[in-house]
Amino acid sequence: ENGWCPYFATRHVVRFASVVVYNYQYMLDPKVASMVSKELEKECIVVFDEAHNIDNVCIEALSVNFNRRSLEAASANVSKLNRLINSEKAADQERLNAEYQALVEGLTASGTIDAASADILGNPVLPEDILEEAVPGNIRKAQHFVKLIDVVIKHLKTRMRVQRVEKETPIAFLHNLQSNIGIESKPLRFAYS
């Protein structure tokens, strides 16, 4: 009647409903729940039918499955991202140099600096750390993020080389990850915005 999509209409009216019936995966799977169940009030009553299946749904929703092939594909994607980031860095550096040269030429043309100063200023020798700092923040964050992902993928590849099956809790896995690759909270802030 109003031209609304049934999905969005349902999301709108769920706030006004007294009873909502849907598959419990909409509440338990974090990826789906953040979109569908966030409109439910905090003080609502939830009844699960077929509750004996809930543990399997939770395990499936919070599990990640990967194999050597998917890790190789992830490595290839990380390499591609690195090439794209380096390309953007080079383009930004060229643009920065062109703007600098235009500034020197403009100062020379206006008589603000003489030809000898223009020659000196036209060929600046900037330390590498200054040039690195000139890289825009979003690219620096991308570099940190891609490096972090690359390290995690390499760790997972190493873990896949074991000859026996290992079972560990998520906390034990994260502790193992932190101790083996030395990730601290400080570098993670560069990969998160």
Side-chain angles (χ1 to χ4, degrees):
E1 182 178 309
N2 291 330
W4 283 25
C5 162
Y7 169 76
F8 288 107
T10 303
R11 283 188 58 185
H12 176 71
V13 298
V14 76
R15 290 181 262 169
F16 309 106
S18 298
V19 175
V20 178
V21 178
Y22 59 45
N23 186 311
Y24 51 76
Q25 289 175 323
Y26 289 128
M27 181 168 281
L28 299 176
D29 187 331
K31 295 174 286 231
V32 179
S34 65
M35 295 184 295
V36 178
S37 300
K38 67 181 177 185
E39 283 88 7
L40 295 178
E41 292 184 27
K42 302 266 188 252
E43 292 84 31
C44 67
I45 297 172
V46 178
V47 177
F48 289 107
D49 186 23
E50 299 284 325
H52 62 276
N53 293 324
I54 289 177
D55 57 345
N56 292 335
V57 171
C58 291
I59 289 169
E60 183 179 327
L62 300 173
S63 294
V64 177
N65 295 319
F66 56 87
N67 55 32
R68 284 189 176 99
R69 198 163 104 202
S70 62
L71 288 176
E72 290 302 326
S75 286
N77 286 333
V78 165
S79 296
K80 183 178 179 181
L81 280 172
N82 265 326
R83 286 191 301 276
L84 289 171
I85 290 168
N86 289 333
S87 172
E88 284 297 313
K89 275 179 68 174
D92 282 347
Q93 188 171 7
E94 286 175 20
R95 204 171 322 136
L96 182 64
N97 285 335
E99 288 176 15
Y100 183 81
Q101 292 303 325
L103 175 68
V104 171
E105 289 170 12
L107 290 172
T108 305
S110 69
T112 306
I113 59 172
D114 58 19
S117 297
D119 285 341
I120 294 169
L121 291 175
N123 299 307
V125 179
L126 297 174
E128 189 63 33
D129 59 334
I130 299 283
L131 291 173
E132 274 299 310
E133 199 59 37
V135 174
N138 57 343
I139 293 179
R140 279 197 311 272
K141 285 183 181 180
Q143 286 177 305
H144 289 290
F145 176 74
V146 170
K147 178 65 176 163
L148 171 66
I149 296 300
D150 187 46
V151 168
V152 170
I153 290 169
K154 286 177 181 171
H155 173 74
L156 293 173
K157 284 180 175 180
T158 302
R159 296 285 308 265
M160 293 281 292
R161 289 190 196 113
V162 297
Q163 298 298 321
R164 64 191 185 296
V165 175
E166 293 181 23
K167 180 180 176 183
E168 61 189 355
T169 66
I171 297 291
F173 174 79
L174 291 174
H175 177 72
N176 186 318
L177 180 72
Q178 183 180 17
S179 64
N180 285 339
I181 64 176
I183 292 180
E184 297 177 19
S185 59
K186 186 176 179 183
L188 291 178
R189 72 186 167 103
F190 292 112
Y192 178 77
S193 60

